Amino acid sequence: MSLLGGIRPPITVLAVLLLALAGFTAVTLGNVREGRLPAAVLTSQQHFAEDGAIALRASLDESVTDLDRAAALFSAGKPVAPDAVLDKIGSVYQKWRGTAVVEIGSGRLLAARGENLPLTAIDRTRLADEGGLAPRMVKLSNGETRLLTLSLLSWNGQPQQLLVASSSLRFPGISLGNFRAIAVVGSDGTVLSNDGIPEPEMVLTDLQRADVKRDTKQLRSFARTAAKRAKANPLTTKEPGSGGFPGVSGSLTGGEWGGERAAAGYARLAGPEPGVGTSATSLELTVVAMVNVAQNPARTSDAVAGLALAGALLLVGALVVALLVTTVQRPLITLFLESRRLTRGDLTRPVSVPRGSEAARIGTALERLRTQLLDQDTAQPPAPAGKRKRRTGARTLLALCAVLLLAWCVPLGLLVNRAGADVVVPQQLVNDQRERTDTLNDRIRRALNEGQADLQSVASLMGDDTTPQHMTTVLERTAREHVRYDSLYVLDATGTVLAQAGGTPQATGADGPRKEPIALHDGGKKPVVVATAQLPGQSGSAVVGELRIDFLNSLLKRPGLGEIRVVDSEHRVIASNSGYRAFQKLGDERLDALVAGSALKVGMAPRPGSVLYRSGGDHVIAAAAPFVGGGAAKPLDWTVVSWQSAKGLAIHEYSLQNRTVLAGLLGLAVGAACLGWLRIIVVTPLRELAGRAEALADGDRRTVLYPRHHDEVGAVTRSLEIIRQQLQQQRKQAGGRTPVPAGRN
């Protein structure tokens, strides 16, 4: 017998798998435990820290790129006075706390703006070494940490100068809400900067000061743990299928106080792609986000319900296995033994005909063949078979077994443990959806502002005497350094393109450059965001950049936020993190109302909003955040809206429902695999064998019987072939010709 063939293996495997599934059902459905802090809340804190790490990394890398590009643009032209360099940089970018120009050879300070910089921390003799111009962190006398960014100013015939800019390690535009703290942590676990926890002297009561002290201590504890865990390889820390953030990230739980427990997420600064480092990632910084979450009573599922479902499966499985054993396995084994007895020449006893359709047909044919072997007068045709009684076939038995298994599996997937209206969605998840959406909104607004600031920097270097060739060179360099632009060009007052780099301009016109710093051009099949910077001293001329929509779409890739859309004032979709049609509507009245409500001013400005509602039987968490803040992008009047179904989150009711559905699907898979295996290996060959056995008993001596598989059915087939050969031998010995069987012409 073959290892996987025969009647016994599929029935045995079916019994073992059903027994294992019953154990899985009893354990998993009877012990779905939810801690005091749901796993969905901890995962949300992890995503929040990942957002902070992405924003901080992008901000630091953007600062390095902007300073290098500004220095390169200055160095490409005529020599500029140090004070003029700092004034132009300060008028375009407001991101640095202090800037300075130092003569490298002598170390003399040529110009400075903003706060005093710790220039003694820079070793001017090592600037030419590998990594000599890399950004570095220094600590001031007051304990604060600054990031120094360096770049070179070089002109022929003049001493080389060092352009230095300092910035604080604070997060750009991170929305913390009311009770969250976020910190930047060094590789040694030291908190370099933090937001969200007030200083002790800023609070009024002793209780508040105690809270500040406790939160500060907890944050430092989280920082030490996160810095240690962040040193691991990302491939060893990510759970299968988590995806999203390319670096190391995770969640932590802290102490309990007043019914609340501290929860934190951490994420190490990582490049935009796995394995790709940047200037910011070389600093080995980690972001820690902490929040105090109200604890829920610990809940577990009913163990009795799990045991009842497991017991029902055992009962169904026992019935199915017993049915297969008594109606298929035993009759087939009986046929196997009887056929071998006949081939050995034991013809004295009648064939024991088993019950069942195919087995009974084959047994009846064997009995007829036995009588033919005993009859020495082979010239007489075999007696014609009478009208055969119609019996229940093996396929019907398999269908009955499948129905029994479906009777257990289908209710589990459709009826049992369904999460209904009583699902408890933690309020913290709704708050996190709002704050993360607001953070993403600020990131998009800042990206647009930075794009327009880049054009202003380029425009500041173009004067009346700048030739189109030099304009083209500057535009091509800018296009190479910033992938956000699809096309860069210079327009004069009549709308004529003086210089161009990148793709073909889509938003030119006879009226000349646009007056708005950033505007949306919707005259084509896809939206085009147009940034404009006027050329100084040239009335009506401007540098224009068309931003890639794919660049905006890439900013929306945030795990744990669900579907994200950027819509304009008319609620038309401009960008998305998934497939969409440009300028289509949101198509949901609740989302439209949420976007409209978030645009209303609360106090001095609109505020982000979030809501939890039911849609199609599921809970949906949605949030909307309008553009708020300064910069060229504010007049766009855009809104970032996000929503996701709560059933995809690790919430107790949905976890129980998902495990119940999983048990039902596993039951379907086990039944389909084993019953399908049984049909292919046993039932189909058995039905074919029944027809051949009856034909042989009716007098067909010419058709050779070949076994399909080396199993019980194949053994019976080989025995029938031996009997056929014995009958032929009888005919030859009798010297007669095989007559035509009765009823055949």
Side-chain angles (χ1 to χ4, degrees), residues 269-290:
L269 267 63
E273 299 178 3
V276 178
T278 65
S279 299
T281 59
S282 65
L283 300 175
E284 299 182 351
L285 300 177
T286 302
V287 174
V288 176
M290 181 186 77

Side-chain angles (χ1 to χ4, degrees), residues 342 347 362 364-374 693 696-698 701 720 723-724 727:
L342 296 182
L347 306 177
I362 297 173
T364 302
L366 285 174
E367 173 60 20
R368 294 174 59 197
L369 291 171
R370 184 187 71 85
T371 59
Q372 294 174 28
L373 289 172
L374 288 174
L696 178 61
D698 289 341
R701 305 290 188 261
L720 288 173
I723 293 173
R724 184 188 69 84
L727 291 172

Side-chain angles (χ1 to χ4, degrees), residues 559-581:
L561 269 182
E563 297 290 329
I564 306 173
R565 302 287 187 271
V566 178
V567 299
D568 61 7
S569 58
E570 300 177 10
H571 299 187
R572 299 181 303 171
V573 177
I574 305 301
S576 170
N577 67 336
S578 59
Y580 72 106
R581 183 165 53 87

Side-chain angles (χ1 to χ4, degrees), residues 20-266:
L21 180 58
F24 172 82
T25 303
V27 172
T28 57
L29 300 189
N31 190 28
V32 182
R33 182 178 299 274
E34 182 188 46
R36 295 297 184 89
L37 290 185
V41 173
L42 296 178
T43 302
S44 182
Q45 307 318 307
Q46 177 181 347
H47 290 325
F48 199 99
E50 292 171 354
D51 290 348
I54 292 173
L56 182 61
R57 191 268 307 163
S59 176
L60 297 180
D61 286 339
E62 188 72 26
S63 294
V64 174
T65 301
D66 289 341
L67 195 69
D68 287 343
R69 188 183 54 78
L73 291 176
F74 281 120
S75 300
K78 298 178 180 179
V80 182
D83 287 306
V85 170
L86 299 185
D87 288 339
K88 287 187 177 181
I89 290 179
S91 63
V92 175
Y93 303 104
Q94 291 80 36
K95 61 178 67 178
W96 292 297
R97 300 180 66 92
T99 54
V101 176
V102 181
E103 188 177 284
I104 296 178
S106 63
R108 183 164 58 95
L109 179 63
L110 302 179
R113 297 291 186 275
E115 68 178 9
N116 294 329
L117 304 184
L119 300 177
T120 55
I122 302 174
D123 189 352
R124 292 178 286 106
T125 62
R126 295 183 176 273
L127 295 178
D129 298 343
E130 183 179 358
L133 292 175
R136 62 208 63 191
M137 293 183 296
V138 297
K139 182 165 289 189
L140 303 181
S141 57
N142 60 2
E144 295 185 6
T145 302
R146 292 288 184 268
L147 179 67
L148 296 185
T149 307
L150 313 178
S151 193
L152 295 178
L153 293 170
S154 302
W155 293 286
N156 292 331
Q158 292 195 7
Q160 203 170 35
Q161 300 172 4
L162 181 66
L163 178 59
V164 185
S166 72
S167 56
S168 60
L169 295 175
R170 293 192 176 273
F171 297 91
I174 295 293
S175 180
L176 299 178
N178 296 326
F179 307 105
R180 193 188 305 273
I182 193 167
V184 180
V185 180
S187 58
D188 58 351
T190 303
V191 177
L192 303 179
S193 69
N194 69 84
D195 290 315
I197 300 179
E199 297 296 331
E201 59 272 12
M202 298 175 61
V203 296
L204 301 178
T205 65
D206 293 338
L207 180 59
Q208 291 175 331
R209 281 188 285 271
D211 291 342
V212 169
K213 184 178 180 180
R214 184 187 68 255
D215 291 344
T216 302
K217 182 179 179 181
Q218 182 66 76
L219 183 61
R220 290 174 180 173
S221 176
F222 281 146
R224 291 190 295 269
T225 305
K228 186 181 301 183
R229 295 189 180 184
K231 295 179 181 178
N233 190 317
L235 298 179
T236 63
T237 60
K238 286 292 183 182
E239 295 182 1
S242 59
F245 188 69
V248 180
S249 63
S251 59
L252 303 168
T253 56
E256 180 183 358
W257 179 265
E260 295 184 336
R261 183 177 293 275
Y266 65 89

